[in-house]
Amino acid sequence: MYVICKEVTFAAAHMIRGYDGKCARIHGHNWRVRLEVACEKLNEIGTGVDFGDLKRILQDIVGKLDHRDLGELNAFAHSNPTAENVARHIFEEASRRLDGEGRRVQRVQLWENDTSSVIYAPEGA
């Protein structure tokens, strides 16, 4: 089993509805996301997933989040745009595009800052 990883960054604002503290007010982060894709086999040239393809897919996903107020997006209309829910959203979007042909998204790690991150890795993923 191979695990191919790609990281990208984006900037976005959010606020946590119902939170008792500073995060209830709108604030921003320079987010960093790491996508991990597990591959059972390599193709004829010896790659599992091309890094360029992963970068393009991940940038397309986070491009819809970049420089936005996450709470205004349809993706978070029924859930708070917490780091946990943003990581799940990125995981689900990446899975729709990448899963199949002996590969699957294994996990997404999302940092709000240098010291705070969340990992989304559903059981069985």
Side-chain angles (χ1 to χ4, degrees), residues 40-78:
E40 297 172 2
K41 59 186 177 184
L42 304 179
N43 64 16
E44 63 279 353
I45 63 168
T47 63
V49 181
D50 185 272
F51 287 121
D53 291 341
L54 281 185
K55 181 178 180 180
R56 180 183 47 77
I57 289 167
L58 196 49
Q59 284 182 325
D60 183 56
I61 293 166
V62 302
K64 294 172 177 67
L65 309 175
D66 191 37
H67 284 80
R68 300 291 304 268
D69 175 351
L70 300 178
E72 294 178 349
L73 301 177
N74 287 339
F76 304 105
H78 302 291

Side-chain angles (χ1 to χ4, degrees), residues 81-95:
T82 60
E84 292 86 347
N85 285 329
V86 174
R88 178 187 43 78
H89 170 74
I90 293 169
F91 181 99
E92 289 171 353
E93 288 294 312
S95 294

Side-chain angles (χ1 to χ4, degrees), residues 10-121:
F10 66 100
H14 71 156
M15 58 185 259
I16 310 303
R17 297 178 296 271
Y19 186 81
D20 184 22
K22 295 187 300 185
C23 293
R25 295 188 301 271
I26 192 150
H27 61 284
H29 297 286
N30 291 318
W31 306 79
R32 185 174 93 215
V33 59
R34 176 185 173 104
L35 174 66
E36 298 182 9
V37 179
C39 297
E40 297 172 2
K41 59 186 177 184
L42 304 179
N43 64 16
E44 63 279 353
I45 63 168
T47 63
V49 181
D50 185 272
F51 287 121
D53 291 341
L54 281 185
K55 181 178 180 180
R56 180 183 47 77
I57 289 167
L58 196 49
Q59 284 182 325
D60 183 56
I61 293 166
V62 302
K64 294 172 177 67
L65 309 175
D66 191 37
H67 284 80
R68 300 291 304 268
D69 175 351
L70 300 178
E72 294 178 349
L73 301 177
N74 287 339
F76 304 105
H78 302 291
S79 64
N80 256 329
T82 60
E84 292 86 347
N85 285 329
V86 174
R88 178 187 43 78
H89 170 74
I90 293 169
F91 181 99
E92 289 171 353
E93 288 294 312
S95 294
R96 283 191 316 100
R97 300 171 194 210
L98 288 164
D99 286 3
E101 299 178 23
R103 67 182 183 221
R104 63 178 170 73
V105 175
Q106 180 171 301
R107 70 186 214 160
V108 164
Q109 185 167 6
L110 180 71
W111 288 262
E112 281 191 345
N113 57 46
D114 289 340
T115 61
S116 301
S117 73
V118 62
I119 295 170
Y120 183 77

